[in-house]
Amino acid sequence: MSKTEKEKMLAGEPYSGADPQLVAERLHARELCRAIAELPSQAPEAERSDLLKQLFGAATDAYITPPFFCDYGRNIELGKGVYFNFNCVLLDCAKISIGDHVLFGPAVQIYTASHPMDAAERRSGLEFAKPIAIGNDVWLGGGVVVCPGVTIGAGTVIGAGSVVLRDIPAGVLAAGNPCRVIREL
């Protein structure tokens, strides 16, 4: 029995993003993100919680300052007390694991999605994804970009505007493009 495109995607294998099931799931996530963005500031917490549960597939106490964008939502695993500032983008074609008390500055972008380096392969429409893991008590400053396959250790601070291409250990301040360890915390 052959794998579905979704199974291939989640396994990190080449898959077609144009697969009807994946397209439908992305459109559903966009509608939920739009609904979250359109909630009045005085909306009952139960209404906000219900939308977040629909988006992420589990109850969460995460706080999202809209707008917020993601591909699927269901591939994002959130710890306790996670905060997303304005304009965060999470391309969750693979699992994104986020620990407890993680802070996302404005315009943080988390990308699990990638494309082949070879142009002919890119033209085929196939893509792939690599999971990202962010430990407890991490702070990602405004405009940080985290690339596919990266792990960021607990208690680390990533400086604003950094592009994280490689794993960053726990308990450090890291910054730059490419992001590198500046000092231990």
Side-chain angles (χ1 to χ4, degrees):
M1 180 182 207
S2 64
K3 292 181 179 179
T4 66
E5 295 303 304
K6 182 175 182 174
E7 289 169 335
K8 292 177 194 176
M9 177 182 80
L10 295 173
E13 299 170 8
Y15 70 93
S16 172
D19 176 70
Q21 176 188 3
L22 295 177
V23 171
E25 288 183 21
R26 285 194 306 272
L27 290 174
H28 180 68
R30 285 183 192 154
E31 287 302 313
L32 289 169
C33 289
R34 183 193 51 74
I36 291 166
E38 291 177 356
L39 274 176
S41 57
Q42 302 303 323
E45 188 55 37
E47 190 175 350
R48 185 177 316 280
S49 293
D50 180 58
L51 288 171
L52 292 177
K53 185 175 181 180
Q54 288 179 60
L55 182 62
F56 298 117
T60 179
D61 69 346
Y63 188 84
I64 293 175
T65 305
F68 173 87
F69 307 95
C70 64
D71 275 335
Y72 300 96
R74 297 285 176 118
N75 300 329
I76 301 169
E77 182 180 278
L78 295 170
K80 297 175 188 158
V82 173
Y83 173 73
F84 293 98
N85 209 321
F86 297 100
N87 283 317
C88 287
V89 176
L90 281 72
L91 302 185
D92 60 317
C93 301
K95 184 176 181 180
I96 299 174
S97 300
I98 300 169
D100 297 337
H101 310 291
V102 173
L103 303 175
F104 290 81
V108 168
Q109 301 169 59
I110 309 294
Y111 303 148
T112 67
S114 193
H115 302 277
M117 290 291 143
D118 180 75
E121 287 181 64
R122 277 196 307 277
R123 274 186 246 115
S124 76
L126 292 180
E127 51 193 74
F128 63 94
K130 295 180 183 176
I132 291 174
I134 300 171
N136 295 334
D137 299 302
V138 168
W139 173 24
L140 302 169
V144 165
V145 175
V146 179
C147 292
V150 166
T151 295
I152 298 173
T156 284
V157 175
I158 306 292
S162 297
V163 178
V164 185
L165 300 172
R166 293 182 200 90
D167 293 354
I168 303 293
V172 299
L173 168 64
N177 182 2
C179 188
R180 62 181 176 77
V181 174
I182 304 296
R183 66 178 169 90
E184 291 185 13
L185 295 176

